[in-house]
Amino acid sequence: MPTFAHLLPPSWKTAVTAWLEEDTPSFDYGGYVVGEVQREAFLLGKGKSIAVLAGVPFVDEIFAQLGCTVEWHMSEGDTFEPVKKVATVRGKARHLLLGERVALNLLARCSGIATKSRYFLDTARANGFKGIIAGTRKTTPGFRLVEKYGMLVGGIDAHRHDLSSMVMLKDNHVWSTGSIKQAIETVRKVSGFTLLIDVEVRSEVEADEAIDAGADIVMLDNLEGEELYAVARSLRQKWEGKRKFLIETSGGIDENNLKERAVNDIDILSTSAVHQSVQHIDFSLKIQLPKEEKEGGPAGSSTV
């Protein structure tokens, strides 16, 4: 049975090593205090609302590199209501705490992106939208893999991952080249038949030029309301049976105007709202004392 973890490239584990090195570049002073006694810790999903769990393989690898094990009590992509014990982590106390903040920060952001992505998808579907909801490339440098992963767990399309995975010609490409037609013809010579060409346009006239030149996708950038609907319908009618292309809407899409933009004259709705300034999901890791130590220790000593 495929899982989202099967999407990850062989190189991703080196990022986890770098995260751990960044968080403890020299001495582990707090770890000196707790030592290496074996402990069990509860990973708790907190926050104030229902959330989607995302980031499981990254958390597994963080603790695996520290010699700890993680037992998950729910599946990635499932929703949970706070407060929920989502996993139990076992290992040496010092090692649990070495991975704690790295794991919690990772899980908080990845789950936040998945939660917002799921909200956008569910809202669009409830509005009758049958097309694609996609994130954008406005991701955090060095953290793109995690953020795109969160979108996929949330159920939306991750759009292009980088400059090599699809051709996107925007205003600067067109202005630098001289015209939409020239930009498309130039890039087609080197991009081959495997890459789609997505062209950002600002009007129906520009969209016609892009479609005529062979664009696979026309992005109607920052067109809204009746203008968006009218241009999309006109393009479909005008080019029916002559060219195959998809229509994308992008620019300023958020929770407030999602329903307005999610209409079936559009094939793709792309937004950065699912990952930029997204609300993180609160998680905590609480080390538990064995029963005999709880009974023999001072009051309130159930966590470290």
Side-chain angles (χ1 to χ4, degrees), residues 21-36:
E21 289 176 349
E22 177 190 49
D23 205 43
T24 313
S26 59
F27 293 129
D28 177 21
Y29 299 105
Y32 172 78
V33 174
V34 301
E36 295 193 342

Side-chain angles (χ1 to χ4, degrees), residues 145-158:
L145 188 69
V146 177
E147 293 175 342
K148 291 289 189 180
Y149 185 90
M151 296 175 201
L152 292 172
V153 174
I156 69 170
D157 194 290

Side-chain angles (χ1 to χ4, degrees), residues 95-241:
H95 294 186
L96 291 172
L97 297 179
L98 279 170
E100 176 187 22
R101 183 45 54 193
V102 178
L104 294 181
N105 288 354
L106 179 290
L107 203 58
R109 179 148 182 78
C110 195
S111 295
I113 291 170
T115 301
K116 181 60 72 68
S117 297
R118 183 73 56 80
Y119 170 80
F120 265 65
L121 180 64
D122 289 347
T123 301
R125 291 289 182 260
N127 197 49
F129 183 61
K130 298 177 182 179
I132 297 168
I133 301 290
T136 72
R137 200 172 60 90
K138 295 179 181 178
T139 49
T140 308
F143 209 61
R144 179 181 303 171
L145 188 69
V146 177
E147 293 175 342
K148 291 289 189 180
Y149 185 90
M151 296 175 201
L152 292 172
V153 174
I156 69 170
D157 194 290
H159 212 289
R160 62 173 179 160
H161 286 248
D162 48 55
L163 291 175
S164 302
S165 57
M166 183 174 74
V167 179
M168 181 173 286
L169 301 176
K170 307 190 80 170
D171 50 8
N172 285 322
H173 298 94
V174 173
W175 296 335
S176 297
T177 309
S179 71
I180 291 174
K181 183 176 186 293
Q182 184 62 50
I184 293 174
E185 290 178 349
T186 300
V187 79
R188 185 64 83 183
K189 295 176 183 178
V190 293
S191 63
F193 69 92
T194 62
L195 293 179
L196 297 176
I197 297 178
D198 190 342
V199 183
E200 179 185 276
V201 299
R202 298 167 298 172
S203 67
E204 184 174 351
V205 171
E206 290 186 350
D208 283 331
E209 182 182 357
I211 295 167
D212 188 51
D216 301 291
I217 306 163
V218 287
M219 178 193 291
L220 305 178
D221 189 47
N222 287 306
L223 269 64
E224 301 180 43
E226 289 302 323
E227 181 182 15
L228 172 65
Y229 312 147
V231 170
R233 285 193 293 266
S234 176
L235 291 174
R236 291 198 185 284
Q237 293 170 1
K238 188 185 310 180
W239 292 99
E240 185 177 6

